[in-house]
């Protein structure tokens, strides 16, 4: 009997955004790799417990090796993605990726920042609407700072508008937060925008320890001078946008970058340990 590896994904509607439907492409790539390795697969949308009898039957069946977890949201909410590993933990089924606890810590940007601050991991300062009473006591003529506005509980650059990145006083930033929350229904934060180089760092567990994969840098040299140096939603998902076509990736680095890349590797390893990551 072939060993089975169900592929668990979030439910995707016919009207899903590009970033939401991307999980289907991921699942197809995973399916091909697993079947090449000799595993039998089935792709199953994750439903919450009251509607999960079908999934329970699959997981209780013979030959289940593990579950490949690709769930990125529940009820279209990224903040609830931890429910999938929580369900698998309660079922006692091995699965790929992070635990429910780790996902709870890392899908809330403000909670993650507080944890990083306590651990001494550098992270830009932020403002939230909950901090308005403190900001109200500061001068109306406070210093201008560069801010970027992000949904607190979304990833994949969802809700990041490049045109809002810019210099604001704290009170002005809070006014923008209030407007964004009213327009979108999502909680937002303003993060101090530190312009510079942007890297993607991936880690994978090997023999019980994390390995840092080779870094990838976003190359901003083709962007117009007026465009902020950041990979926002258009750059990630809107293929006919200027940002998408103007930010290629770099994979090769000069020897002069050695110290920087080692510093990045150490920070990534610290994050792995502090957040209890796995998989």
């Amino acid at each position: 009997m072939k060993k089975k590896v169900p592929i668990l994904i979030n439910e995707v509607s016919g009207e899903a955004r590009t970033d939401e439907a991307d999980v289907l492409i991921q699942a197809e790539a995973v399916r091909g790799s697993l079947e090449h390795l000799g595993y039998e697969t089935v792709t199953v949308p994750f439903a919450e417990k009251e509607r999960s009898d079908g999934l329970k039957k699959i997981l209780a069946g013979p030959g289940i090796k593990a579950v490949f977890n690709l769930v990125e949201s529940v009820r279209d909410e990224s903040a609830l993605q931890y429910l999938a590993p929580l369900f698998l933990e309660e079922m006692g089924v091995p699965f790929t990726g992070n635990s429910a606890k780790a996902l709870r810590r890392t899908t809330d940007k403000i909670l993650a920042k507080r944890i990083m601050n306590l651990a001494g991991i550098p992270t830009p300062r932020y403002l939230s609407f909950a901090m308005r009473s403190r900001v109200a006591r500061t001068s109306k003529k406070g210093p201008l700072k560069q801010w970027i506005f992000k949904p607190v509980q979304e990833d994949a650059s969802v809700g990041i508008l490049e045109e809002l990145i810019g210099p604001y006083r704290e009170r002005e930033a809070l006014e923008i937060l209030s407007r964004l929350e009213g327009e979108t229904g999502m909680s937002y934060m303003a993060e101090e925008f530190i312009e510079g180089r942007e890297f993607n760092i991936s880690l994978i567990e090997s023999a019980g320890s994390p390995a840092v994969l080779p870094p990838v840098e976003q190359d901003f040299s083709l962007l117009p001078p007026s465009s902020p140096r950041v990979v926002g939603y258009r750059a990630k998902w809107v293929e006919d946008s200027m940002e998408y076509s103007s930010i290629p990736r770099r994979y090769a680095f000069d020897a002069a970058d050695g110290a920087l890349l080692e510093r990045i590797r150490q920070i990534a390893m610290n994050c792995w340990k502090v957040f209890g990551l796995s998989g």
Side-chain angles (χ1 to χ4, degrees), residues 9-18 20-24 45 73 76:
I9 66 172
N10 38 285
E11 295 179 308
V12 179
S13 72
E15 298 158 1
R17 299 188 310 260
T18 304
E20 295 170 326
D22 186 67
V23 72
L24 301 176
S73 64
D76 294 329

Side-chain angles (χ1 to χ4, degrees), residues 67 91 136 199 263:
V67 170
M91 287 284 296
F199 294 84
R263 175 66 174 144

Side-chain angles (χ1 to χ4, degrees), residues 42-108:
V42 58
T43 300
V44 187
F46 176 74
E48 291 178 86
K49 288 186 177 181
E50 64 269 17
R51 298 187 287 117
S52 61
D53 289 344
L55 177 57
K56 286 182 178 179
K57 287 180 182 178
I58 292 172
L59 298 181
I64 297 296
K65 174 74 172 178
V67 170
F68 205 107
N69 180 30
L70 292 177
V71 174
E72 298 177 344
S73 64
V74 176
R75 294 202 309 266
D76 294 329
E77 294 186 48
S78 296
L80 298 180
Q81 64 182 278
Y82 75 92
L83 292 175
L86 181 64
F87 173 84
L88 296 171
E89 288 166 2
E90 291 177 352
M91 287 284 296
V93 178
F95 58 92
T96 62
N98 286 296
S99 67
K101 182 178 180 180
L103 286 178
R104 284 291 299 273
R105 290 175 168 177
T106 54
T107 52
D108 183 315

